[in-house]
Amino acid sequence: MNNEDKMLQLVLSDNNLSSFYEYNAEDYQSISDALLSDNPVVVAVAKIIIGISGNSDKGIQKEVYNEVFNYLNCNML
């Protein structure tokens, strides 16, 4: 398990998040598992972790924000 997978588990294991968005964190052991999810919130968390992992470039962070924002708009509205 790499650091990105550990971060995914940490975020997805939040009880409030998992109960509100109705997913089981144990179903997503890796980033690749999360990216294949039918749950848009799980996918968005994975995209954020991949996008900003080890990168402090503000331009990259803005691209990640835009990608996740557009993804959620298309999949949750």
Side-chain angles (χ1 to χ4, degrees):
M1 182 177 283
N2 62 34
N3 286 339
E4 291 174 347
D5 295 337
K6 290 176 185 175
M7 179 62 70
L8 176 75
Q9 285 297 303
L10 181 65
V11 173
L12 293 183
S13 66
D14 181 81
N15 289 332
N16 292 327
L17 192 65
S18 64
S19 66
F20 190 78
Y21 291 106
E22 300 177 349
Y23 66 83
N24 182 354
E26 294 175 7
D27 292 342
Y28 308 104
Q29 296 300 310
S30 69
I31 292 285
S32 57
D33 292 341
L35 290 171
L36 297 174
S37 176
D38 291 334
N39 187 313
V41 171
V42 172
V43 175
V45 169
K47 286 177 176 276
I48 292 167
I49 291 170
I50 288 172
I52 63 170
S53 180
N55 198 331
S56 61
D57 184 327
K58 296 290 183 189
I60 298 294
Q61 291 176 1
K62 184 164 178 74
E63 287 177 27
V64 171
Y65 168 82
N66 288 331
E67 178 185 350
V68 170
F69 180 82
N70 290 331
Y71 174 80
L72 290 173
N73 273 335
C74 291
N75 290 282
M76 292 194 77
L77 296 179

